[in-house]
mmCIF file of all heavy atoms in Angstrom:
data_model
loop_
_atom_site.group_PDB
_atom_site.id
_atom_site.type_symbol
_atom_site.label_atom_id
_atom_site.label_comp_id
_atom_site.label_asym_id
_atom_site.label_seq_id
_atom_site.Cartn_x
_atom_site.Cartn_y
_atom_site.Cartn_z
ATOM 1 N N ILE A 143 2.706 -7.331 -9.538
ATOM 2 C CA ILE A 143 3.229 -8.250 -10.563
ATOM 3 C C ILE A 143 2.118 -9.124 -11.146
ATOM 4 O O ILE A 143 2.293 -9.708 -12.210
ATOM 5 C CB ILE A 143 4.388 -9.120 -10.013
ATOM 6 C CG1 ILE A 143 3.974 -9.822 -8.720
ATOM 7 C CG2 ILE A 143 5.625 -8.274 -9.785
ATOM 8 C CD1 ILE A 143 5.041 -10.783 -8.162
ATOM 9 N N ASP A 144 0.976 -9.184 -10.469
ATOM 10 C CA ASP A 144 -0.183 -9.911 -11.015
ATOM 11 C C ASP A 144 -0.843 -9.118 -12.138
ATOM 12 O O ASP A 144 -1.632 -9.676 -12.904
ATOM 13 C CB ASP A 144 -1.245 -10.155 -9.932
ATOM 14 C CG ASP A 144 -0.679 -10.853 -8.705
ATOM 15 O OD1 ASP A 144 0.359 -11.525 -8.829
ATOM 16 O OD2 ASP A 144 -1.267 -10.711 -7.613
ATOM 17 N N LYS A 145 -0.597 -7.804 -12.158
ATOM 18 C CA LYS A 145 -1.315 -6.915 -13.076
ATOM 19 C C LYS A 145 -0.394 -6.249 -14.082
ATOM 20 O O LYS A 145 -0.829 -5.399 -14.850
ATOM 21 C CB LYS A 145 -2.013 -5.817 -12.254
ATOM 22 C CG LYS A 145 -3.012 -6.377 -11.258
ATOM 23 C CD LYS A 145 -3.725 -5.289 -10.485
ATOM 24 C CE LYS A 145 -4.932 -5.891 -9.763
ATOM 25 N NZ LYS A 145 -5.697 -4.894 -9.023
ATOM 26 N N MET A 146 0.887 -6.582 -14.032
ATOM 27 C CA MET A 146 1.852 -5.846 -14.862
ATOM 28 C C MET A 146 1.693 -6.171 -16.334
ATOM 29 O O MET A 146 1.242 -7.253 -16.709
ATOM 30 C CB MET A 146 3.290 -6.136 -14.409
ATOM 31 C CG MET A 146 3.737 -7.553 -14.632
ATOM 32 S SD MET A 146 5.410 -7.762 -13.974
ATOM 33 C CE MET A 146 5.694 -9.490 -14.385
ATOM 34 N N GLU A 147 2.075 -5.180 -17.124
ATOM 35 C CA GLU A 147 2.077 -5.329 -18.581
ATOM 36 C C GLU A 147 3.539 -5.514 -18.983
ATOM 37 O O GLU A 147 4.382 -4.705 -18.627
ATOM 38 C CB GLU A 147 1.478 -4.074 -19.220
ATOM 39 C CG GLU A 147 0.013 -3.884 -18.829
ATOM 40 C CD GLU A 147 -0.448 -2.431 -18.862
ATOM 41 O OE1 GLU A 147 0.038 -1.659 -19.694
ATOM 42 O OE2 GLU A 147 -1.297 -2.087 -18.021
ATOM 43 N N GLY A 148 3.833 -6.576 -19.679
ATOM 44 C CA GLY A 148 5.229 -6.846 -20.024
ATOM 45 C C GLY A 148 5.944 -7.515 -18.859
ATOM 46 O O GLY A 148 5.314 -8.222 -18.067
ATOM 47 N N THR A 149 7.226 -7.244 -18.745
ATOM 48 C CA THR A 149 8.026 -7.963 -17.756
ATOM 49 C C THR A 149 8.611 -7.008 -16.724
ATOM 50 O O THR A 149 8.612 -5.794 -16.910
ATOM 51 C CB THR A 149 9.197 -8.684 -18.454
ATOM 52 O OG1 THR A 149 9.922 -7.723 -19.225
ATOM 53 C CG2 THR A 149 8.702 -9.789 -19.373
ATOM 54 N N LEU A 150 9.146 -7.576 -15.663
ATOM 55 C CA LEU A 150 9.833 -6.786 -14.641
ATOM 56 C C LEU A 150 11.127 -6.244 -15.229
ATOM 57 O O LEU A 150 11.807 -6.924 -15.986
ATOM 58 C CB LEU A 150 10.172 -7.670 -13.444
ATOM 59 C CG LEU A 150 9.027 -8.037 -12.513
ATOM 60 C CD1 LEU A 150 9.514 -9.077 -11.508
ATOM 61 C CD2 LEU A 150 8.475 -6.819 -11.789
ATOM 62 N N HIS A 151 11.468 -5.013 -14.852
ATOM 63 C CA HIS A 151 12.778 -4.505 -15.224
ATOM 64 C C HIS A 151 13.473 -3.878 -14.025
ATOM 65 O O HIS A 151 12.864 -3.670 -12.969
ATOM 66 C CB HIS A 151 12.702 -3.553 -16.427
ATOM 67 C CG HIS A 151 11.528 -2.635 -16.423
ATOM 68 N ND1 HIS A 151 10.361 -2.899 -17.098
ATOM 69 C CD2 HIS A 151 11.345 -1.457 -15.817
ATOM 70 C CE1 HIS A 151 9.512 -1.915 -16.909
ATOM 71 N NE2 HIS A 151 10.079 -1.030 -16.134
ATOM 72 N N ASP A 152 14.770 -3.577 -14.209
ATOM 73 C CA ASP A 152 15.608 -3.190 -13.075
ATOM 74 C C ASP A 152 15.667 -1.689 -12.824
ATOM 75 O O ASP A 152 16.333 -1.244 -11.906
ATOM 76 C CB ASP A 152 17.048 -3.691 -13.289
ATOM 77 C CG ASP A 152 17.113 -5.206 -13.283
ATOM 78 O OD1 ASP A 152 16.258 -5.828 -12.613
ATOM 79 O OD2 ASP A 152 18.002 -5.768 -13.948
ATOM 80 N N ASN A 153 15.007 -0.905 -13.669
ATOM 81 C CA ASN A 153 14.973 0.536 -13.385
ATOM 82 C C ASN A 153 13.585 1.048 -13.694
ATOM 83 O O ASN A 153 12.752 0.328 -14.260
ATOM 84 C CB ASN A 153 16.035 1.282 -14.218
ATOM 85 C CG ASN A 153 15.806 1.079 -15.706
ATOM 86 O OD1 ASN A 153 14.740 1.431 -16.216
ATOM 87 N ND2 ASN A 153 16.777 0.536 -16.399
ATOM 88 N N ASP A 154 13.324 2.294 -13.269
ATOM 89 C CA ASP A 154 11.970 2.789 -13.439
ATOM 90 C C ASP A 154 11.826 3.700 -14.652
ATOM 91 O O ASP A 154 10.932 4.526 -14.730
ATOM 92 C CB ASP A 154 11.477 3.472 -12.156
ATOM 93 C CG ASP A 154 12.296 4.705 -11.821
ATOM 94 O OD1 ASP A 154 13.289 4.985 -12.522
ATOM 95 O OD2 ASP A 154 11.925 5.378 -10.835
#
Side-chain angles (χ1 to χ4, degrees):
I143 52 176
D144 306 337
K145 300 182 166 182
M146 67 183 181
E147 297 153 33
T149 54
L150 285 172
H151 39 264
D152 294 332
N153 59 59
D154 64 356

